[in-house]
Amino acid sequence: MALPKAVYVHIPFCEQICHYCDFNKVYLKGQPIEEYVKACEKEMKEAVSQFPYDHIETVYIGGGTPSSLSSQQLEPLLDSINQVFSLQKPREYTFEINPGNISDEKLSLLKSAGVNRLSIGAQAFQEDLLKKIGRAHDEKDIYRTIESARRMGFENISIDLMFGLPGQSVANFIESIEKSLELEIPHFSAYSLKVEEKTVFHQLQRKGKLPLPPEDDEVAMYDVLINMLTEQNYHHYEISNFSKNGYESLHNLTYWNNEEYYGIGAGAHGYVSGQRYANVGPIKKYINNVHSQGRPLLESHVVSTAEKMEEEMFLGLRKLEGVSISQFQNRFNKDPFEIFGNNIKRLKSEGLLKVEDDRISLTKNGLFVANEVFEKFLL
Ligand code: SF4
């Protein structure tokens, strides 16, 4: 079995809680951040002693809002990641930032720790929309943050956009794409809003007070996104991700290629030595469990062959290049048509999947109903 080459570290603190967010996060103020950083270090050491690595190629510090940590809190975190995983110029080292809460001092710390990619949560460029979704930044913060990042030597930058937001029109979304394109950013991620339970939006929806755009508009937004970005020579390489050549997210490709990775931090998920696991979510519980048990597991299980085959299909189909038939055969000693033949045939006849040479992939129509396609690969 291949050893993990990727590490995800979760920083669950935010300066403001966005109205749509169901990630594992807490309001920053009053949290035991220094203790949390120490607990992450302990968990990393424990994970590595149980499941060694040979060479780490990608690191991703996500959240939450990692950039909400102060320089004093960030420095020991970056040091411990570097030491525990003996980082030597990883191919990709990403750090998530929210516009407006990153100083030159923090950017310089990131740079010297080897971070070479920034993922910026812009989401939208309209002040009223940003307020409506509960973001803490305004439009100018997006420009300032990108300008400082470039000045400090970061050129591999990704921005996140959202569509299907309450009160958002197709024209608003086109404006956000145009403004992003003007910034000449090499990578975009764009996600449609899903109203999740236990969010402000969920409560508003239950009261009938969430004016979501009509479904046709949401479809039009995704369509326009694909057209505008591909016209500008962005490579649409995953359902929600677009990049200039050579700027695809190597870390996220680990997930879509169904490869293993360490997941560190409260609520983080990982996949090592054939086992998928989830850590406990609440911060204090996470810290206590790390100290009492080493690994703060909520759940862990050995992934069965059937589960691995399902994952190979629905994770691989997220990529526009799709699933490699020969790789599936090498991994499982079976042909994907032997396992999923009827469904592949049906989805192909419905125009949602295509089979070309060594690849099974979504068609353009399939991209719009991807989750329904994926369900057909559950055994
Ligand atoms: S969307 Fe990001 S910044 Fe907003 S609450 Fe969620 S994790 Fe925090």
Side-chain angles (χ1 to χ4, degrees):
M1 186 166 301
L3 298 171
K5 292 196 176 85
V7 184
Y8 173 79
V9 180
H10 191 70
I11 303 299
F13 308 109
C14 294
E15 284 171 341
Q16 187 163 319
I17 303 298
C18 306
H19 297 168
Y20 54 87
C21 180
D22 79 329
F23 297 153
N24 190 49
K25 48 45 178 100
V26 288
Y27 185 53
L28 176 85
K29 236 179 177 171
Q31 292 295 331
I33 298 177
E34 284 78 9
E35 277 179 64
Y36 181 81
V37 169
K38 281 192 191 122
C40 286
E41 179 175 9
K42 193 159 191 289
E43 189 200 350
M44 285 184 236
K45 286 183 176 158
E46 189 63 36
V48 161
S49 79
Q50 284 184 34
F51 305 105
Y53 61 87
D54 176 41
H55 175 67
I56 296 298
E57 294 196 343
T58 69
V59 182
Y60 194 110
I61 306 182
T65 313
S67 56
S68 64
L69 264 51
S70 67
S71 303
Q72 292 69 28
Q73 293 159 342
L74 208 48
E75 199 167 4
L77 175 78
L78 297 167
D79 284 349
S80 53
I81 296 173
N82 267 323
Q83 280 163 21
V84 177
F85 293 103
S86 320
L87 293 188
Q88 279 161 5
K89 292 203 179 299
R91 288 176 69 201
E92 184 182 280
Y93 191 161
T94 304
F95 189 85
E96 282 184 352
I97 59 183
N98 270 353
N101 76 355
I102 190 91
S103 60
D104 283 1
E105 188 189 4
K106 287 191 222 174
L107 285 168
S108 149
L109 261 179
L110 296 176
K111 190 102 203 137
S112 34
V115 171
N116 56 17
R117 181 173 184 270
L118 298 176
S119 173
I120 302 177
Q123 316 309 359
F125 283 72
Q126 296 74 27
E127 303 289 347
D128 56 333
L129 211 47
L130 288 168
K131 276 207 186 82
K132 220 178 260 177
I133 63 175
R135 298 291 293 174
H137 66 268
D138 61 20
E139 185 189 355
K140 285 201 192 79
D141 289 327
I142 303 174
Y143 296 119
R144 275 193 221 111
T145 300
I146 291 171
E147 195 271 320
S148 328
R150 285 188 163 143
R151 187 166 28 78
M152 299 300 286
F154 292 94
E155 52 91 31
N156 190 353
I157 296 174
S158 175
I159 63 174
D160 287 355
L161 293 177
M162 291 184 79
F163 61 97
L165 298 171
Q168 188 183 35
S169 64
V170 179
N172 280 160
F173 187 52
I174 290 177
E175 184 186 57
S176 287
I177 301 171
E178 282 169 350
K179 290 190 170 182
S180 311
L181 283 169
E182 279 165 19
L183 289 165
E184 298 184 358
I185 297 293
H187 189 280
F188 286 91
S189 301
Y191 299 97
S192 67
L193 173 73
K194 265 179 70 198
V195 178
E196 305 281 1
E197 282 188 17
K198 297 186 190 150
T199 61
V200 173
F201 276 176
H202 190 245
Q203 289 167 22
L204 289 173
Q205 192 177 47
R206 281 178 40 200
K207 293 182 195 153
K209 290 187 179 164
L210 192 69
L212 294 178
E215 210 180 308
D216 284 354
D217 279 11
E218 199 183 321
V219 171
M221 289 181 202
Y222 186 47
D223 197 36
V224 99
L225 171 81
I226 295 174
N227 293 337
M228 287 177 73
L229 293 184
T230 49
E231 267 165 28
Q232 295 299 318
N233 296 323
Y234 282 86
H235 171 208
H236 185 191
Y237 71 103
E238 193 268 350
I239 296 175
S240 308
N241 286 277
F242 301 80
S243 77
K244 288 286 182 188
N245 265 345
Y247 287 90
E248 293 81 4
S249 166
L250 300 175
H251 182 86
N252 290 338
L253 280 164
T254 306
Y255 306 142
W256 305 320
N257 288 332
N258 203 11
E259 289 163 355
E260 300 201 343
Y261 59 97
Y262 299 96
I264 304 294
H269 290 242
Y271 186 18
V272 287
S273 197
Q275 297 171 42
R276 286 204 182 265
Y277 65 88
N279 283 347
V280 293
I283 314 302
K284 292 208 170 108
K285 196 165 185 193
Y286 168 79
I287 296 173
N288 290 340
N289 286 13
V290 167
H291 292 300
S292 59
Q293 299 161 19
R295 292 188 65 222
L297 297 178
L298 172 68
E299 177 288 316
S300 111
H301 69 278
V302 174
V303 181
S304 68
T305 306
E307 214 179 318
K308 278 187 193 152
M309 288 194 284
E310 292 171 350
E311 289 169 348
E312 185 81 9
M313 293 308 291
F314 62 71
L315 292 170
L317 285 173
R318 295 196 64 86
K319 297 175 293 175
L320 276 274
E321 66 172 25
V323 173
S324 157
I325 299 168
S326 54
Q327 184 170 300
F328 190 101
Q329 285 164 335
N330 288 341
R331 283 190 176 175
F332 303 109
N333 243 336
K334 280 198 172 101
D335 194 297
F337 298 98
E338 213 179 298
I339 315 291
F340 302 105
N342 288 340
N343 282 337
I344 295 174
K345 211 164 138 196
R346 191 170 329 121
L347 291 163
K348 213 175 138 210
S349 71
E350 290 167 3
L352 302 176
L353 275 191
K354 56 184 192 279
V355 180
E356 286 169 349
D357 304 322
D358 183 43
R359 298 260 161 203
I360 306 170
S361 58
L362 292 173
T363 59
K364 183 155 183 202
N365 284 344
L367 286 171
F368 287 81
V369 289
N371 287 334
E372 289 160 41
V373 174
F374 300 156
E375 276 171 21
K376 304 288 185 294
F377 290 94
L378 295 176
L379 290 168

